[in-house]
Amino acid sequence: MASVKEKTKQNGKAMKAEKTVHPKERYMYWYESMQLQRKFEEKAGQLYGQQKIRGFCHLYIGQEACSSGSYSALTKDDKWITAYRDHGIPLALGSSPNAIMAELFAKQTGSSKGKGGSMHIFDKSVNFVGGHGIVGAQIPMGAGIAFSEKYNKTGNLCITFMGDGAVRQGALHEAFNMAMLWKLPVIFVVENNGYAMGTSVARTSNVTDLYTLAEAYDMPSEPVDAMSVEAVYESVSRAAERARAGEGPTFLEFRTYRYRGHSMSDPQKYRSKDEVEEYKQRDPIENIKHKILELGMATEDDLAAIDQKIKGIVDEAVKFAEESPYPDPEEAFKDVYMQKDYPFLTE
Ligand SMILES: Cc1ncc(C[n+]2csc(CCOP(=O)(O)OP(=O)(O)O)c2C)c(N)n1
Ligand SMILES: [Mg+2]
């Protein structure tokens, strides 16, 4: 198995090391939003163990720089779509932690009214278009959303996330071809965490530098050290600039890692403990914490106060979810196409 160092050297293109000093607000957002995602999911993991959360539950722990770094590079009107590992992105976008926790509990107050669960978080108020369980299905949908933004001349783009397992789907190639042909304002991001369930990237194809897949479509692409929130920010900023200038899509390969198993029951026989530890040494939250302290942007006490605030937010979300009612059985018939007044059919 390749070590972290070897993996970062492997790619043909060198990953850019960032030296920029960012405004204080950006550093503080990065710390707070990544820490919220981490603590929220650590709690969700515990609650799953207590069977308060059931069904599928894929934790994003380790990958938080992908969402937070991207958020700070985009505008509030841009659209977001991802797969089923989908708690971190809406939290980074500012969705209500209460509504997301309640969704994990399948409660009526959840972001999808308790009908979606962990894999199907949606939040229109922050332009988060889900949460999709079919591997790769969201790739052409992301291109379609970008098409609509272009057609309506909004100036917005759609950032479309997928896992490394999804890049082997035919849908990616169809979407890449059309997105590039029509110069759609879309940023395709593969969150390469090394594995699709228990299958490593190297076991699925000869092509392990995933960003090179875009070359067949003349689409600009680059590998990104996604354990660094700053590197994520820089790469998404460049891609957004291209999209808004009418130059079309970019494909970013975020090299990241999930510390936890694929879902909640995963004996993780496909990787070593040492490998997990090696990545934890490059933890995105610890990294940015050190940077903030080094730059004197905040003190240890300031960061501890943020941690305390987040603990309160997570505790409150759990209380809210526990106290919320389950949906009425009638809800099962609402928000579906057969509903007579479904807005899509009547407008
Ligand atoms: C079309 C399809 N095939 C198979 C599955 C079963 N499945 C669920 S998750 C997964 C692995 C996907 O891994 P990856 O895209 O790397 O995302 P990650 O879990 O690492 O975030 C598979 C094969 C599915 N949901 N959809
Ligand atoms: Mg993966």
Side-chain angles (χ1 to χ4, degrees), residues 241-255:
E241 214 177 288
R242 295 193 62 257
R244 293 194 217 284
E247 292 168 28
T250 303
F251 185 39
L252 301 175
E253 180 187 345
F254 284 1
R255 294 185 171 179

Side-chain angles (χ1 to χ4, degrees), residues 63 84-85 163-165 191-197 201 258:
Q63 301 187 205
Y84 47 81
R85 200 175 294 286
D164 44 277
E191 288 178 289
N192 182 359
N193 59 14
Y195 300 93
M197 301 182 92
V201 170
R258 61 165 159 73

Side-chain angles (χ1 to χ4, degrees), residues 240-303:
E241 214 177 288
R242 295 193 62 257
R244 293 194 217 284
E247 292 168 28
T250 303
F251 185 39
L252 301 175
E253 180 187 345
F254 284 1
R255 294 185 171 179
T256 182
Y257 202 74
R258 61 165 159 73
Y259 300 166
R260 300 292 181 94
H262 167 74
S263 186
M264 298 309 291
S265 52
D266 175 358
Q268 304 185 50
K269 294 215 169 107
Y270 50 85
R271 64 181 183 182
S272 67
K273 286 208 170 79
D274 287 351
E275 183 184 287
V276 181
E277 282 314 308
E278 222 182 317
Y279 274 97
K280 284 186 180 171
Q281 295 306 312
R282 300 170 52 208
D283 185 65
I285 303 179
E286 283 303 309
N287 278 344
I288 212 64
K289 182 175 178 177
H290 286 136
K291 189 84 185 261
I292 288 170
L293 295 172
E294 198 180 274
L295 292 170
M297 297 275 183
T299 64
E300 292 267 11
D301 284 352
D302 296 333
L303 298 181

